[in-house]
């Protein structure tokens, strides 16, 4: 599973999970976050997606992978 976190007031809050089977590309992951939140919030907040093998940061709707 991929765990989704949203940055609020300097703290990463867990907001949900996505299945890596259904969301295997970065674009699909972004769409999954938009389903959990909204397009507006996705484009105006920072999100982090953590899985076993990678961590992805979305900053104001743009991907920043580490």
């Amino acid at each position: 599973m991929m765990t989704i976190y949203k940055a609020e007031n300097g703290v990463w809050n867990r907001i949900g999970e996505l299945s890596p089977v259904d969301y295997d590309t970065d674009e699909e992951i972004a769409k999954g976050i938009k389903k959990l939140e909204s397009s507006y919030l996705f484009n105006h907040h920072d999100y982090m997606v953590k899985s076993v093998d990678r961590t992805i940061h979305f900053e104001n709707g743009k991907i920043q992978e580490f």
Side-chain angles (χ1 to χ4, degrees):
M1 291 304 268
M2 296 183 291
T3 306
I4 312 299
Y5 299 90
K6 178 180 176 182
E8 295 178 294
N9 299 321
V11 178
W12 289 104
N13 295 311
R14 184 180 174 274
I15 61 165
E17 293 184 336
L18 297 174
S19 168
V21 174
D22 299 328
Y23 301 95
D24 59 346
T25 67
D26 296 340
E27 291 81 20
E28 290 173 347
I29 293 170
K31 288 179 186 177
I33 295 171
K34 290 176 188 178
K35 285 182 184 178
L36 288 172
E37 296 278 288
S38 72
S39 293
Y40 176 81
L41 290 175
F42 179 73
N43 290 324
H44 291 89
H45 288 87
D46 295 344
Y47 292 87
M48 177 173 54
V49 180
K50 287 186 121 182
S51 66
V52 174
D53 58 343
R54 68 192 271 210
T55 299
I56 307 168
H57 285 247
F58 292 92
E59 295 178 5
N60 298 321
K62 296 180 178 72
I63 188 167
Q64 307 291 325
E65 189 166 349
F66 299 96

